[in-house]
Amino acid sequence: MTAVADADRATSPGLVPEDKKYDADVIVIGAGPSGSAAAYWLATAGLDVLLLEKTTFPREKVCGDGLTPRGTRALVDMGIDVSQEAGWLHNKGLRVIGGGLRLELDWPELASFPSYGLVRPRADLDHLLVQQAVKAGARLHEQTSVTGPVMNSQGRVEGVTAVSRHAEARTDKTEITYRAPLVLACDGVSGRFGLALGHQRNDKRPMGVAVRRYYNSPRTNDDYLESWLELWDGPPGADDAKLLPGYGWIFGMGDGTSNVGLGVLNSSAGFQKTNYRELLTRWLDHTPEEWGFREENAIGTTQGAGLPMGFNRTPHYQNGVLLVGDSGGSVNPFNGEGIPYAMESGKFAAEAVIQALARPAGPSRERALHGYPAAMAAEWGAYYRLGGVFVKLIGNPAVMRACTRHGLPHPRLMKFVLKLLANLSDPRDGDASDRIITALTRITPALK
Ligand SMILES: Cc1cc2nc3c(=O)[nH]c(=O)nc-3n(C[C@H](O)[C@H](O)[C@H](O)COP(=O)(O)OP(=O)(O)OC[C@H]3O[C@@H](n4cnc5c(N)ncnc54)[C@H](O)[C@@H]3O)c2cc1C
């Protein structure tokens, strides 16, 4: 038995007649930034989208809650009002702390990106994104946990099984089936849907783990995102202070709290051999008392999750399934930013699906679907390969220390580094630093 009544079945312009046996044109698993963005673009093109989400909105997501201008652009693209009046905290750049120095770098002025970033709790951000997808016409089923793929006799995925408490599920069975010719796995870092299909994580590619906690803090209003390149167990720079693995952040939330966290990369000796929660406390214990990052000001517990980077899960398309956002390892290895890449990959996936569903099932449709991994490789494949090298280099504390000490005192060099690390440059009509970044990514073979 399928979960959606005949009357609800797809009648969208996208499906060619033989596909009408399905419950929807496309099933999207997970309504995080990747799933909601994909659903929004698919529904905007008139496709019938079933967006299945195991939780209920608004819901929390472990995150730093910070967006660079790349994130701002992705939100603007989806028609989200990102004004301060609408509750967004704007930031004008990145404050970098390391090697005894403190440098404020403004976001670059570019044609391709706005010159401000944003901060917003994920509970709000993800709710706004999913509402935008629903407004565009996507059918959201909350409290619906996908349990596995439904395969046809040729080994192609043609739907999913799920456990649902959503009102429309209307079934007395514990597990229900939803059918569609295409499925987008947007289920985040766990990537269970891809794993169920046998897609393994590529451990040679970069991976990180990050933890964060909220504190009531007088640092709540900050118009820079703050990044710590060195974390000290002891007064910074003191003879007996020990350098801890990882990189930290302090993002003011503008509501009386700060989001404070750290990440450790798999190139670091401390990866998976460290108690990350304890690491955060040890670092924060040595920050100034008046900032308030102490137990008595903490809100909730320290929470963490993995950061799947540099396309560490592929293939991005196979047998009717597209891996999108974290489930496709799309986090930027240079800076650990994942939200904009999740949203942009959602758009690339949607573009491929929209073209594919306007063609009959078969080789022509498949060619259109392979346009998704091709777009991912063209957009970030070379940049992420460079990111993999970067992650290996900075995993060595001596290299990191040398970069911090010799790089930070040179603001012009740091402006270039900011553009490179945050992936913010103009591919056309840019300045000399944009041209260097474009040239670097042109001569580097793309990861797939
Ligand atoms: C501590 C930490 C800090 C971070 N800080 C930042 C930051 O400041 N800025 C930034 O840009 N990125 C940050 N990231 C990365 C960012 O959080 C992710 O890259 C981003 O959330 C990826 O979006 P997504 O849609 O791919 O996955 P997710 O946001 O994880 O969304 C997946 C969705 O799928 C749902 N789901 C999962 N399984 C199922 C299932 N079986 N059935 C139905 N639904 C399912 C989940 O409930 C969820 O809603 C951080 C990550 C961590 C861990």
Side-chain angles (χ1 to χ4, degrees):
M1 173 190 156
T2 54
V4 182
D6 278 5
D8 296 337
R9 282 192 179 171
T11 51
S12 68
L15 276 185
V16 289
E18 74 264 28
D19 291 336
K20 295 290 184 203
K21 60 186 174 183
Y22 297 115
D23 297 314
D25 295 341
V26 193
I27 290 172
V28 178
I29 309 168
S34 61
S36 289
Y40 168 82
W41 292 108
L42 290 163
T44 299
L47 294 177
D48 180 26
V49 185
L50 195 51
L51 178 55
L52 306 178
E53 165 59 45
K54 67 178 178 189
T55 65
T56 307
F57 291 96
R59 57 109 180 87
E60 224 188 332
K61 155 80 178 81
V62 182
C63 190
D65 305 320
L67 293 162
T68 67
R70 192 169 197 107
T72 311
R73 183 179 75 167
L75 291 162
V76 170
D77 216 18
M78 270 180 66
I80 306 267
D81 175 3
V82 294
S83 66
Q84 305 195 28
E85 297 71 44
W88 296 84
L89 194 67
H90 287 206
N91 58 69
K92 52 187 178 195
L94 186 70
R95 183 181 306 114
V96 186
I97 295 177
L101 290 170
R102 182 177 180 278
L103 195 64
E104 282 181 353
L105 297 160
D106 286 357
W107 300 121
E109 294 290 341
L110 297 165
S112 312
F113 297 93
S115 57
Y116 61 96
L118 301 165
V119 170
R120 187 93 189 226
R122 285 293 295 274
D124 283 1
L125 174 79
D126 290 24
H127 197 194
L128 284 167
L129 289 176
V130 77
Q131 283 171 329
Q132 205 71 349
V134 169
K135 259 191 256 166
R139 291 185 286 137
L140 171 67
H141 284 204
E142 294 172 301
Q143 299 188 61
T144 301
S145 189
V146 170
T147 48
V150 173
M151 322 277 273
N152 70 11
S153 54
Q154 283 94 51
R156 192 185 168 84
V157 174
E158 284 217 313
V160 303
T161 51
V163 175
S164 181
R165 289 198 285 139
H166 187 266
E168 271 181 46
R170 282 176 295 180
T171 174
D172 48 6
K173 291 198 178 171
T174 47
E175 199 167 66
I176 52 176
T177 301
Y178 296 97
R179 290 183 191 278
L182 293 170
V183 175
L184 267 57
C186 305
D187 51 348
V189 62
S190 74
R192 291 226 170 78
F193 198 77
L195 287 176
L197 294 167
H199 298 322
Q200 295 301 320
R201 196 174 80 195
N202 182 345
D203 289 327
K204 293 208 179 89
R205 294 198 177 167
M207 175 79 195
V209 172
V211 293
R212 68 97 171 96
R213 198 174 193 188
Y214 293 102
Y215 290 86
N216 286 312
S217 168
R219 298 209 49 198
T220 187
N221 291 312
D222 191 345
D223 47 14
Y224 284 86
L225 298 177
E226 187 167 292
S227 170
W228 287 57
L229 303 183
E230 293 171 344
L231 307 179
W232 291 95
D233 190 5
D239 287 346
D240 57 345
K242 237 179 64 207
L243 199 57
L244 297 165
Y247 314 97
W249 71 81
I250 299 174
F251 296 166
M253 300 297 296
D255 60 356
T257 70
S258 293
N259 179 323
V260 190
L262 59 82
V264 180
L265 295 164
N266 63 351
S267 55
S268 155
F271 187 72
Q272 287 181 340
K273 289 185 208 125
T274 314
N275 180 334
Y276 301 110
R277 289 171 176 79
E278 202 185 288
L279 192 65
L280 182 65
T281 313
R282 268 159 66 193
W283 164 45
L284 294 180
D285 278 349
H286 298 289
T287 57
E289 184 94 43
E290 61 274 19
W291 291 0
F293 303 140
R294 300 291 186 272
E295 193 57 41
E296 62 272 21
N297 302 316
I299 302 164
T301 55
T302 305
Q303 294 196 43
L307 290 168
M309 299 171 164
F311 296 162
N312 74 346
R313 282 111 178 241
T314 52
H316 286 137
Y317 172 70
Q318 198 172 51
N319 292 332
V321 177
L322 296 86
L323 304 186
V324 188
D326 275 14
S327 86
S330 71
V331 173
N332 180 352
F334 281 105
N335 66 355
E337 184 181 24
I339 299 166
Y341 298 92
M343 294 175 69
E344 287 181 53
S345 61
K347 190 176 182 190
F348 298 149
E351 283 166 354
V353 168
I354 291 160
Q355 291 304 322
L357 288 180
R359 305 176 183 193
S364 172
R365 185 180 282 185
E366 290 305 293
R367 264 193 296 282
L369 289 165
H370 282 286
Y372 170 58
M376 294 283 273
E379 200 69 22
W380 304 317
Y383 178 74
Y384 280 8
R385 187 183 291 276
L386 292 171
V389 176
F390 172 81
V391 164
K392 277 200 189 105
L393 285 174
I394 65 165
N396 179 342
V399 174
M400 185 60 193
R401 212 168 308 139
C403 292
T404 310
R405 293 204 198 279
H406 300 298
L408 281 187
H410 301 284
R412 277 185 59 191
L413 172 66
M414 287 308 293
K415 276 189 182 160
F416 168 76
V417 171
L418 178 73
K419 280 186 167 185
L420 179 69
L421 267 50
N423 199 7
L424 296 170
S425 61
D426 274 332
R428 289 177 292 276
D429 304 327
D431 64 10
S433 59
D434 297 321
R435 286 195 291 276
I436 295 172
I437 293 171
T438 307
L440 270 175
T441 49
R442 284 223 176 108
I443 57 171
T444 307
L447 282 178
K448 287 191 176 121

